[in-house]
Amino acid sequence: MMTRFIPFLFVVLWSSGFIGARLGLPYAEPATFLLLRMVANITVFLLLVVTLRVRVPTGKAMAHCMVAGLLIHGFYLGGTYFAIGLGMPAGLCSLLVGLQPIVTAVVMFGCVGERMRASQWVGLVIGFIGINLVLQGNMAWHQDGSREMAYLFTLLSLVGITFGTLYQKKFCQGIDMVGSAVWQYSAAALLFLPVALTTETMEVNWTPTFVFALSWLVLVLSVVAILLLLYMVKHGESSKVASTFYLVPPMTAFQAWLIFGESFDELGVAGFVLAAVAVFLVTRKPKLPKSETYTASAKSAP
């Protein structure tokens, strides 16, 4: 009975990642913060590898995992943290990178020739309208900074998560997710280390707030959320995760309002709603005709 709430719990936890970044960035620069998180992630997942007795990928599988990790955890998280560090509201950042399903559909349509359904085209148009409404609204940035650079970092994040998930889907199928995570986080750490060494002071103010933020991101986001994902995949619930991901930006905006007082005007609220509808339309799977449903069921029967 409780398992039906797991996808929504996953979305709530995933949304809190943006909040954790916003919470910890006043006490450490972005690359330094992420380097600490990656090192902690590697340590935790090595313990999980030993505890769960899973195999760490080697050879080509290891290389594929590192490329996926560089895109997903390196570019995606890096772009997100640098954008929030420049003052972008966590809710806005979540909204922009939350367009990943829409961008993925466009990429698949342009590069692979995969046909877009009518509902996806409608979602694409609604998504653009929603983003325009949010950007035209009155948003309170939490500090003065280069907004142009913040948007560029968000674009980098969006590119990273889009192509990272496509790459992982193509080249990392069948690889144990716990073992894969060790190499993914290692690749991201190798990216953040030189950035932190050459562009940042690497000073960390180890306040209780920062320790809480880092612990939350490592234990709750990187461990609990991943284990929930593993559970859902094992029990056939992954499709529900995809269909509920449209809730991530509104959930992040709600959490950011609750914790930091981030607010949006009427245009912003309308934009968030339209963007959520857009992602829902793009990720929603079409219903099969009864005849096709019967055929599919027959094929899956033992």
Side-chain angles (χ1 to χ4, degrees):
M1 185 71 176
M2 295 296 294
T3 56
R4 68 178 63 182
F5 297 105
I6 288 180
F8 297 98
L9 175 61
F10 176 79
V11 169
V12 171
L13 295 182
W14 196 261
S15 303
S16 70
F18 296 91
I19 305 303
R22 170 80 165 80
L23 200 63
L25 281 171
Y27 308 101
E29 293 161 293
T32 301
F33 190 3
L34 283 166
L35 178 60
L36 289 172
R37 179 180 174 182
M38 294 305 113
V39 171
N41 285 344
I42 294 167
T43 303
V44 171
F45 272 85
L46 283 175
L47 291 174
L48 286 176
V49 165
V50 175
T51 303
L52 300 176
R53 296 181 180 180
V54 300
R55 188 174 67 88
V56 177
T58 58
K60 288 185 178 180
M62 178 192 73
H64 286 315
C65 291
M66 294 191 76
V67 172
L70 189 65
L71 291 168
I72 297 174
H73 304 294
F75 291 171
Y76 168 61
L77 288 180
T80 298
Y81 277 53
F82 275 92
I84 295 177
L86 287 170
M88 178 177 284
L92 175 60
C93 187
S94 173
L95 175 66
L96 295 177
V97 299
L99 296 176
Q100 178 257 331
I102 297 178
V103 177
T104 300
V106 173
V107 170
M108 297 296 289
F109 172 72
C111 299
V112 185
E114 184 175 301
R115 295 180 59 186
M116 288 184 66
R117 304 185 304 275
S119 62
Q120 290 180 305
W121 283 110
V122 173
L124 185 62
V125 173
I126 292 176
F128 277 116
I129 295 173
I131 292 300
N132 284 326
L133 288 178
V134 173
L135 295 181
Q136 291 175 18
N138 183 21
M139 298 175 295
W141 287 53
H142 61 83
Q143 70 180 47
D144 293 329
S146 174
R147 297 194 178 189
E148 293 77 11
M149 284 299 300
Y151 284 121
L152 285 176
F153 277 121
T154 306
L155 178 61
L156 175 67
S157 179
L158 183 56
V159 169
I161 189 63
T162 299
F163 288 95
T165 50
L166 289 173
Y167 187 94
Q168 179 165 286
K169 184 177 181 180
K170 182 175 179 61
F171 296 106
C172 300
Q173 290 289 337
I175 301 176
D176 183 86
M177 291 184 66
V178 173
S180 172
V182 174
W183 292 121
Q184 290 196 18
Y185 291 134
S186 296
L190 291 174
L191 172 66
F192 296 131
L193 178 60
V195 175
L197 286 172
T198 57
T199 66
E200 298 180 353
T201 64
M202 297 191 72
E203 294 181 0
V204 179
N205 187 3
W206 292 92
T207 64
T209 300
F210 178 78
V211 172
F212 172 79
L214 182 61
S215 301
W216 180 271
L217 291 170
V218 172
L219 299 177
V220 177
L221 265 293
S222 298
V223 178
V224 176
I226 290 297
L227 292 179
L228 283 177
L229 179 61
L230 286 171
Y231 177 87
M232 289 183 288
V233 170
K234 183 178 180 180
H235 291 81
E237 299 288 333
S238 56
S239 61
K240 293 184 179 180
V241 178
S243 65
T244 54
F245 248 98
Y246 69 95
L247 293 173
V248 170
M251 179 60 65
T252 302
F254 173 73
Q255 293 174 357
W257 167 77
L258 198 64
I259 298 173
F260 306 116
E262 289 185 5
S263 61
F264 297 85
D265 59 7
E266 291 79 3
L267 283 178
V269 172
F272 266 89
V273 173
L274 289 179
V277 172
V279 175
F280 172 75
L281 290 174
V282 170
T283 58
R284 186 183 61 174
K285 291 187 176 181
K287 292 183 178 180
L288 293 174
K290 290 184 178 180
S291 59
E292 294 185 28
T293 304
Y294 175 79
T295 304
S297 300
K299 287 181 179 180
S300 61

